[in-house]
Every structure is written in C-alpha cells, then in structure tokens.
Amino acid sequence: AQKITQTQPGMFVQEKEAVTLDCTYDTSDQSYGLFWYKQPSSGEMIFLIYQGSYDEQNATEGRYSLNFQKARKSANLVISASQLGDSAMYFCAMREGHSARQLTFGSGTQLTVLP
Amino acid sequence: EADIYQTPRYLVIGTGKKITLECSQTMGHDKMYWYQQDPGMELHLIHYSYGVNSTEKGDLSSESTVSRIRTEHFPLTLESARPSHTSQYLCASSIPGLAGDAYTGELFFGEGSRLTVL
C-alpha cells in the first residue's frame, strides 16, 4: 500500500490566489513527521514545512501552511498569494517512528502559477 | 542554507564505464542518504548511512555501491554503467531530531547529479 498519496498530478493557480495541494498518508505509528518539499525544474529539493504527529497546531512558514487533519490522515499544503516562482513540483513526505531512517515520498504535484 | 554539494551536476557517459558521484556536506551530519529519481517521479531511497563505516541499502534495489569513510563524504559508485542507470541521483543529509526523536529532522538535499548512460 502507498504510504504517501498525492492525487493531483498537476494543478494550475492564478497568480496571487491561494492553492491547496493534497496529501494523505498511511501509517500505524503514533510518532511520525510530515514534510513538504519543493523541486523546481533545476532539480534541487527545497524543504518547505514540517508537521509532527503530536503537534496540535497547524505548521506555518511564511506563505506556506500545513492543514493537518490527523483523523483523516491528511496533510495538505496551502500556499497563499501564489507567485510565478512557486511553479514547481511539490512532494509530500513522511518519516515514521523513533528509529526512522528515511523519508518516504509521494508521487508529487506539478504546480503551475499563471500570470 | 544547507551546505551539501554534489558533483558532477550532469554526466553523459557510455555503457560499461565506471562512475563515481560525489557528495559532501559541511554540517557534520551523521545521517546521509542517496535517492534515485526518474523525471517527474517520486524519490526512492537506494542507500543510507548512520555514520562512518555504516552503510545500508534502501528500499529500491540498486547496482550502485556507497562508502562512508569520513563523516562529510558519501560517494556513490557504479562499476559498470548501463542505460537503465539513467536517472537523477540526489544526496541528502539529516539533522538530529528534536529531543532525540529521529522522525523530526528534515533532510537537506544537494542539487542532484543527472546521469545519462548511452
């Protein structure tokens, strides 16, 4: 079974609008971390935001916020006031448990911001 | 700003050649990783290391090998490259987790090495 599911292969958003990128996850661990990364066409992976399974507040980092719904096992990324530079591939990832060794990534969402 | 470097950024070679992809980090991180990514696809872990002289294979089977002789250096080697090895290879290192919890530390990535085997 997929541990991280991103159901939107591609998304379009108008500049200055907000956009939500979906991510659902599957784990039986109580302790886990959820991450979002941005990958521009140049190929590097840029860390955006982190949410821990025990965090009661939704994480926020500037224009990025994470809509964490634990019961639904979803961790959607919200980008407010989209900019042309936000056009990129976005990956949701999870790290499980206290002996976690790696991040498991979803298949990604290609976001295109339209002028 | 993460200090993790990969060379070469781009490499085009012929079948049968031996190649080494270099990865270095100056942050003193113990944990390092190699991921493989085909264009537009998810990342798959192929190797990881918890520290010097510690290396393990990841979830995706790979014919490559790695070594960790120094904390800052984690090179990946293909003894005989084939067209099926054409991919992007991303190196990463990880900060210690908060309060010792391993799951909280994010990965810092290098810029990647795009390998094309003809």
Side-chain angles (χ1 to χ4, degrees):
Chain A
Q2 290 274 25
K3 285 191 176 284
I4 296 286
T5 302
Q6 294 181 253
T7 57
Q8 306 153 314
M11 288 279 286
F12 292 88
V13 65
Q14 209 67 41
E15 195 177 6
K16 299 179 186 174
E17 299 282 313
V19 64
T20 298
L21 306 184
D22 294 341
C23 172
T24 57
Y25 59 92
D26 181 27
T27 181
S28 56
D29 281 0
Q30 297 300 310
S31 304
Y32 53 90
L34 297 158
F35 304 78
W36 276 93
Y37 281 83
K38 172 184 177 182
Q39 187 178 43
S41 56
S42 51
E44 74 267 33
M45 296 284 285
I46 302 167
F47 167 70
L48 295 178
I49 196 166
Y50 163 80
Q51 180 86 41
S53 57
Y54 298 113
D55 295 340
E56 295 183 353
Q57 304 261 10
N58 285 344
T60 60
E61 288 285 349
R63 295 186 298 111
Y64 304 108
S65 60
L66 200 152
N67 184 0
F68 181 46
Q69 298 189 42
K70 196 169 182 176
R72 292 186 176 184
K73 293 189 175 179
S74 77
N76 298 340
L77 177 71
V78 180
I79 305 175
S80 62
S82 298
Q83 302 171 356
L84 295 178
D86 293 335
S87 293
M89 194 76 159
Y90 288 80
F91 289 96
C92 180
M94 177 174 63
R95 204 178 212 178
E96 298 172 277
H98 292 280
S99 60
R101 59 180 181 144
Q102 61 158 316
L103 290 184
T104 301
F105 286 84
S107 55
T109 296
Q110 179 68 49
L111 177 67
T112 302
V113 181
L114 303 170
Chain B
E1 188 90 5
D3 294 318
I4 181 163
Y5 308 100
Q6 289 186 242
T7 56
R9 286 291 313 275
Y10 302 93
L11 180 62
V12 180
I13 59 167
T15 297
K17 300 289 186 185
K18 177 180 178 179
I19 64 120
T20 296
L21 304 180
E22 302 286 350
C23 176
S24 295
Q25 51 99 1
T26 58
M27 298 170 283
H29 292 168
D30 287 326
K31 296 178 185 175
M32 294 189 74
Y33 312 81
W34 277 103
Y35 282 85
Q36 184 175 341
Q37 183 188 28
D38 291 332
M41 305 295 284
E42 66 236 69
L43 284 71
H44 293 284
L45 183 75
I46 52 174
H47 298 284
Y48 64 101
S49 168
Y50 280 148
V52 171
N53 294 326
S54 149
T55 61
E56 307 235 7
K57 289 196 176 288
D59 295 332
L60 182 69
S61 176
S62 173
E63 293 167 345
S64 59
T65 58
V66 292
S67 62
R68 190 88 183 276
I69 299 172
R70 303 198 314 267
T71 298
E72 61 271 21
H73 197 213
F74 191 39
L76 181 146
T77 298
L78 274 166
E79 289 293 334
S80 180
R82 295 204 302 269
S84 61
H85 296 138
T86 295
S87 191
Q88 170 159 258
Y89 295 84
L90 288 153
C91 180
S93 69
S94 175
I95 62 173
L98 297 173
D101 289 331
Y103 62 90
T104 60
E106 71 264 32
L107 269 61
F108 294 97
F109 283 85
E111 292 184 309
S113 293
R114 294 192 194 222
L115 173 65
T116 302
V117 184
L118 303 176

